[in-house]
Amino acid sequence: MSNARQVVFIAGEGIGPEVMAEVRRVLDRLVADERLAIETREALYGAEAWRRTGRTVPEATAAALESADAILFGATGGPDYDALPAEARRQGNLLRIRKRLDLFANLRPIVALPALAEASSLKNRVLAGVDFIVLRELSGGLYFGEPRGIETLPGGERRGVNTHVYTSGEIRRIARFGFELARTRSGRLCSVDKANVMEAGQLWREEVAALHAAEFADVELTHMLVDNCAMQIVRAPGQFDVLLTDNMFGDILSDAAAMAAGSLGMLPSASLGPRRADGRRAALYEPVHGAAPDIAGRDIANPLGAILSLALALRLTLDAPDTAARLERAVAAALATGVRTRDIMQQGGTPVGTRGMGDAVLRALEGA
Ligand code: IPM
Ligand code: MG
């Protein structure tokens, strides 16, 4: 094994392969330009892996997931995936990867780039200075709680069950992550729950407050109910810095918050596991947009969510913060030239496809 950091690409389904092709080009360029000690390889996953190997997560992929420093993930889901047998689907589920690698901390930065103000559904004055992180607990709560399932009751009626459950340990580890993150930013954290109705929400609030009092009194902590938070995100998103919340609420609020960034297609994410004894942690980076099968294979998808996810990987896992900043500058510069994929189109914009946007970022890297 060399000392180089190992990056594994998983393109997945839907628009995953086409956006990841652009990420690949960008990373290859950065590695060449800056002589970064990074080795990349691709791993098969999902429907494509099933077709070729009869498994959605072939052994080589499972091994790569375990050993990678950073996993760059495209997207999964859509008709190809749905057509797989149930067992294959269960095995190759993104939620399974999150659980298996214990990726409990999901960061979704929301930045309103001035160039995209017109693409946003929100007013210009509301967007000024918007720069916050939705920190979503990713390995617990309603997504994984037991009991779960669909059962048939004696009278013939059916009942669907999911369980919203959090332990104090699960709450504290994501809250600790949030407070530490807040310390690296403006020192403010807003914790979002439904403590007025749910016991799990009440515990959430108590544990966050207790950890704050014990170890993070220097961070400014506020609590907000999730329904109010949904409104505040569209009313005044500039008020947030680190927004800490659970798995389900984080899923919903991050889609709403995407509008401040102009489009869901712009949002990157990082999913991190606990720090291991050697200081490293499992890390998976993926655009928030998902597979979008309706536009797959048509060179329409916005690759910037995936490209900005690479920037997060460079900063958080690959020890290349300057390269990350250079890439983010290049994305802003590319947008400033007026190129627009469909999802961020505005009057006077220059229409480009997935590849064209990748080209624009590569060009902008020259001056960034
Ligand atoms: C997300 C997605 C996923 C989620 C889906 C694809 C399972 O919506 O990452 O936000 O609900 O977590
Ligand atoms: Mg979602």
Side-chain angles (χ1 to χ4, degrees), residues 94-95 98 108 136 143 251 288:
L94 174 62
L95 298 181
R98 291 177 179 169
R108 299 186 165 187
R136 169 187 178 192
Y143 272 59
D251 179 47
V288 176

Side-chain angles (χ1 to χ4, degrees), residues 218-276:
D218 55 303
V219 175
E220 184 187 315
L221 169 66
T222 51
H223 302 278
M224 196 179 273
L225 293 172
V226 64
D227 47 350
N228 181 29
C229 181
M231 180 187 69
Q232 296 298 338
I233 282 175
V234 289
R235 191 189 76 88
Q239 71 188 281
F240 296 110
D241 186 26
V242 175
L243 194 165
L244 166 70
T245 195
D246 74 23
N247 204 343
M248 182 86 252
F249 297 154
D251 179 47
I252 299 168
L253 295 176
S254 58
D255 268 34
M259 274 302 113
S263 159
L264 193 56
M266 293 296 301
L267 286 204
S269 83
S271 303
L272 306 175
R275 238 179 237 298
R276 297 185 285 241

Side-chain angles (χ1 to χ4, degrees), residues 36-86:
L36 301 173
I38 290 174
E39 281 170 12
T40 54
R41 62 195 152 130
E42 314 215 343
L44 277 179
Y45 175 88
E48 176 73 8
W50 174 263
R51 262 194 304 277
R52 295 223 228 151
T53 71
R55 304 193 48 180
T56 44
V57 189
E59 236 146 72
T61 301
L65 287 175
E66 296 295 333
S67 66
D69 289 297
I71 301 157
L72 301 183
F73 194 89
T76 179
D80 285 356
Y81 190 82
D82 293 343
L84 297 176

Side-chain angles (χ1 to χ4, degrees), residues 7 9 18-34 36 38 40 72 303-304 306-312 314 323-324 326-331 334 354-366:
V7 171
F9 275 79
E18 55 202 289
V19 298
M20 293 313 281
E22 300 315 307
V23 175
R24 186 73 205 241
R25 289 206 296 153
V26 169
L27 180 57
D28 287 348
R29 166 69 68 82
L30 292 171
V31 166
D33 270 10
E34 305 192 10
L36 301 173
I38 290 174
T40 54
L72 301 183
L304 294 180
I307 289 173
L308 290 169
S309 299
L310 168 62
L312 289 180
L314 289 162
T323 313
R326 177 179 171 217
L327 178 53
E328 286 163 348
R329 279 196 306 277
V331 167
T354 309
R355 172 121 296 214
M357 186 59 93
D359 289 338
V361 172
L362 288 171
R363 269 196 309 276
L365 271 174
E366 277 158 33

